[in-house]
Amino acid sequence: MYTVIIRGLEFYAYHGVPAEERVVGHRFKIDLDLDVEGDTDETDDIVGTVDYGAAAQLIMSVAQGHRYKTVEKLARVIGEKLLQEHLCIKSLEIALTKRLPPAPMIAEEVGVRIRLTR
């Protein structure tokens, strides 16, 4: 088993509790760890792993295809879709953050970390 990682994947999408955020949108960032039961480390064949480019496309498609109020829900939907599409993923951890949140505070980012297991 090995871990495929994606760090700092950024996208623009329309998620948030205030209705304005679901209209105006915001910048988000994902860090992802995919625990893979595969053999690519031995075979050097992409078939036995998760193509991180394809995983990134799937993440952006999900994140930009529907509007959610919470980053918790968005992270869960992304994780479930990754598990559904890539049977070699045994577990995953997603850290999903909203950059420079529009809130009565000053923070570089806020978000959630979620772990899903098959």
Side-chain angles (χ1 to χ4, degrees):
M1 186 175 311
Y2 46 85
T3 303
V4 173
I5 62 171
I6 298 174
R7 295 285 182 265
L9 177 64
E10 292 192 19
F11 58 89
Y12 199 87
Y14 301 87
H15 310 286
V17 173
E20 305 83 51
E21 281 192 280
R22 291 189 307 279
V23 173
V24 174
H26 209 83
R27 198 167 124 198
F28 294 84
K29 182 180 84 167
I30 283 188
D31 291 330
L32 182 66
D33 291 333
L34 305 170
D35 295 326
V36 174
E37 187 68 53
D39 62 358
T40 297
D41 58 327
E42 296 172 2
T43 67
D44 199 29
D45 186 349
I46 190 78
V47 175
T49 192
V50 175
D51 176 339
Y52 53 79
Q57 282 300 117
L58 185 144
I59 290 165
M60 290 189 298
S61 173
V62 169
Q64 296 171 335
H66 188 81
R67 297 176 187 196
Y68 298 101
K69 291 181 181 172
T70 65
V71 291
E72 289 86 348
K73 178 65 174 180
L74 176 58
R76 174 162 295 279
V77 171
I78 289 170
E80 288 172 349
K81 188 68 171 173
L82 284 164
L83 287 171
Q84 177 185 353
E85 294 292 319
H86 300 281
L87 297 179
C88 62
I89 299 173
K90 297 308 174 193
S91 63
L92 58 84
E93 184 171 284
I94 296 173
L96 173 60
T97 57
K98 184 181 292 188
R99 310 277 302 183
L100 303 171
M105 63 178 186
I106 298 172
E108 186 175 317
E109 54 188 23
V110 296
V112 65
R113 184 180 317 274
I114 188 169
R115 182 162 187 82
L116 299 176
T117 303
R118 186 175 301 285

